[in-house]
Amino acid sequence: MRYHGFTEKKIFFAAFAVLLICTLNASSQTVAPNNVAPPANDNFANAITLTSCCSTTVGTTVEATKETGEPNHAGFPGGHSVWYKWTYTLGYLAGYTLTTRQSSAPFDTLLAVYTGNSVNALTPVASSDDYGSTPTTHTSTLFFQAVPGTTYYIAIDGFGAASGTFTLGIDLNRTHARSTHFPGTGFSAVSVFRPSNGNWYVTSNTGVQVVHWGANGDIPAPADYDGDTVTDFAVFRPSEGNWYVLQSLTSTVRSLHWGQSGDKPVPGDYFFLDGFDEFVLFRPSNGTWYGTTGVTNAAVQFGVNGDKPAPRDFDGDGKLDLTVFRPSNGTWYIQNSSDGSNRIQQWGTSEDIPVPGGYAATGDADIAVWRPSDGNWYIYHSHINQIEIEHFGQSGDIPQPIDYGTVAGLSDLGIYRPSTGTWYIQEVTGPFYAFPFGLAGDIPTATAYPIQP
């Protein structure tokens, strides 16, 4: 074979000569040593102390190493880990969240929390590889229940020995007080769904956003189905048993057949703890919860006919707990997702509407009801064993307790008055608002989980 006048033999010797010259040149050069030092918190013994519970810190794993005897974080070898430590000083159990989702230039992180005094004798508490990740961004989020007086060690590593800079956030769990966050609106968007024309009306940064998504008879079911932390417009159509979702991440439509007439949509992250809200229904006729990701299904019998679903994160582990309020005896039945145990609490009367939320800074949800006959909110803060009664609203109102304002992560008192299309909001430690936004017949959709009247 010939190549433009060269024989194979000539090509071989030419290539050998070039390789030899390059080798001789390289051997005569002085290679600069790598002077990049590992991070100060490379080793477990040098873990950086975090002093604030609700804050972020920026760090790096570049040039970090893995110590002898160090565990595989989130079940993967990694290879470039750094360490932090944090002591929980409050006097009651509380749910906390650690996350790298706020990183400005995220890499594929591994995140883990431990207790113990040496790197080769640690007790795992919680870990995460890709919780809440998207197809293009792989970050980590985990949830754990903090025990008073306990020091926790936090490891950040990279999947497949990846390394980079990160932002580590530590905060109280907020799943129980989560508000809607539609595209372009910022957090705590006040919104309504109008069955008469299938439109959503949402307050936004630039005014009022109008999105046509649904039809008369649909039940609004806004949630984060694609894991991008933005609320998707979604409806459940009982006549077909279909869900229709406008996915904010890709601006694409997703439809799924899951359910039947009479089912109550209660989307959320219950069964799989992956940062994506699942398609979940409560079927009153048999007291069963049905959940699916579209690929993996789950069904759990928890409740009886006549119960009202009222899911929130009552045990502070970041997952929604299967929960029903039974009007016939004014009792709450909660299945804790952290350990599968059941909790039974009498709190309410037959007329009450369940409104669980995060009304105190404990990192888990409080049992609460709103009573139409007297307009009172009856809130039981179980972890601090306190009772709170607030008068806010009147008969005919629809309660919408979410985080509207200045105290991040706490549920504010909010109601929508259908008779006048008016919202009334009282922030926990902030101002009072009253403003018209809606018409008679509109369905309020401020809460990420539907309130069951």
Side-chain angles (χ1 to χ4, degrees):
M1 184 178 295
R2 292 180 178 271
Y3 300 91
H4 303 286
F6 289 93
T7 64
E8 291 180 354
K9 190 173 182 179
K10 289 181 179 179
I11 291 173
F12 170 79
F13 281 112
F16 177 78
V18 171
L19 178 61
L20 180 61
I21 292 170
C22 291
T23 303
L24 291 172
N25 287 342
S27 65
S28 65
Q29 295 175 354
T30 300
V31 179
N34 184 355
N35 292 322
V36 178
N41 56 338
D42 180 22
N43 291 336
F44 175 85
N46 298 324
I48 292 176
T49 300
L50 302 175
T51 57
S52 176
C53 87
C54 304
S55 63
T56 59
T57 185
V58 177
T60 182
T61 62
V62 175
E63 297 300 325
T65 60
K66 184 173 182 177
E67 297 177 77
T68 301
E70 180 176 338
N72 291 335
H73 309 301
F76 295 98
H80 301 283
S81 62
V82 293
W83 292 89
Y84 295 87
K85 63 180 178 180
W86 173 72
T87 301
Y88 178 56
T89 58
L90 299 180
Y92 49 82
L93 294 172
Y96 278 83
T97 302
L98 290 170
T99 184
T100 60
R101 292 183 81 165
Q102 297 154 293
S103 303
S104 58
F107 66 100
D108 195 347
T109 52
L110 303 172
L111 183 62
V113 177
Y114 303 91
T115 57
N117 297 316
S118 62
V119 73
N120 61 352
L122 295 173
T123 301
V125 175
S127 64
S128 170
D129 175 17
D130 287 337
Y131 177 95
S133 296
T134 69
T136 57
T137 303
H138 298 278
T139 56
S140 308
T141 300
L142 61 80
F143 309 89
F144 69 102
Q145 192 170 62
V147 177
T150 302
T151 296
Y152 296 93
Y153 285 87
I154 304 160
I156 300 176
D157 205 337
F159 179 83
S163 63
T165 59
F166 59 85
T167 299
L168 174 65
I170 181 170
D171 199 358
L172 287 164
N173 289 348
R174 306 299 188 184
T175 53
H176 50 271
R178 191 175 62 177
S179 56
T180 50
H181 174 200
F182 293 103
T185 64
F187 289 98
S188 306
V190 170
S191 58
V192 296
F193 172 69
R194 190 163 295 164
S196 61
N197 60 11
N199 285 345
W200 297 67
Y201 298 86
V202 183
T203 53
S204 71
N205 296 333
T206 57
V208 177
Q209 181 182 184
V210 181
V211 176
H212 180 74
W213 194 256
N216 202 355
D218 289 350
I219 300 174
D224 179 17
Y225 297 95
D226 52 15
D228 64 349
T229 73
V230 177
T231 306
D232 303 314
F233 294 99
V235 296
F236 171 66
R237 190 162 295 166
S239 61
E240 304 170 350
N242 288 340
W243 298 68
Y244 296 94
V245 180
L246 181 59
Q247 298 181 119
S248 57
L249 179 63
T250 57
S251 298
T252 56
V253 175
R254 182 181 184 186
S255 61
L256 177 73
H257 181 73
W258 186 254
Q260 64 186 36
S261 181
D263 290 348
K264 295 182 179 294
V266 281
D269 193 1
Y270 298 81
F271 302 108
F272 307 110
L273 194 60
D274 58 1
F276 293 71
D277 285 333
E278 302 142 18
F279 301 88
V280 181
L281 296 155
F282 175 70
R283 187 164 296 165
S285 62
N286 61 8
T288 300
W289 300 68
Y290 298 91
T292 185
T293 63
V295 178
T296 307
N297 304 331
V300 178
Q301 200 284 324
F302 193 77
V304 300
N305 199 358
D307 288 351
K308 296 180 179 180
R312 290 297 187 276
D313 178 17
F314 292 95
D315 54 6
D317 68 344
K319 293 175 71 174
L320 291 182
D321 302 315
L322 303 183
T323 306
V324 295
F325 171 67
R326 190 163 297 164
S328 61
N329 60 8
T331 301
W332 292 69
Y333 299 86
I334 302 168
Q335 186 175 89
N336 294 313
S337 57
S338 58
D339 59 9
S341 64
N342 293 331
R343 175 184 173 189
I344 301 174
Q345 179 72 53
Q346 202 288 324
W347 192 258
T349 67
S350 60
E351 68 161 308
D352 291 346
I353 297 173
V355 287
Y359 300 97
T362 58
D364 59 359
D366 300 306
I367 290 174
V369 296
W370 182 71
R371 190 161 297 163
S373 62
D374 60 16
N376 285 343
W377 300 65
Y378 297 88
I379 304 168
Y380 177 49
H381 305 289
S382 60
H383 275 178
I384 53 179
N385 197 30
Q386 290 183 0
I387 295 172
E388 180 182 354
I389 301 175
E390 301 286 349
H391 180 74
F392 196 73
Q394 64 185 37
S395 182
D397 291 346
I398 300 175
Q400 293 280 282
I402 61 167
D403 173 18
Y404 287 97
T406 56
V407 182
L410 295 184
S411 297
D412 301 311
L413 305 184
I415 59 170
Y416 174 69
R417 189 161 294 164
S419 60
T420 60
T422 303
W423 291 78
Y424 299 89
I425 298 168
Q426 177 61 64
E427 293 188 17
V428 173
T429 59
F432 164 79
Y433 304 96
F435 55 91
F437 192 78
L439 300 174
D442 288 352
I443 301 173
T445 55
T447 57
Y449 312 110
I451 298 296
Q452 301 291 339

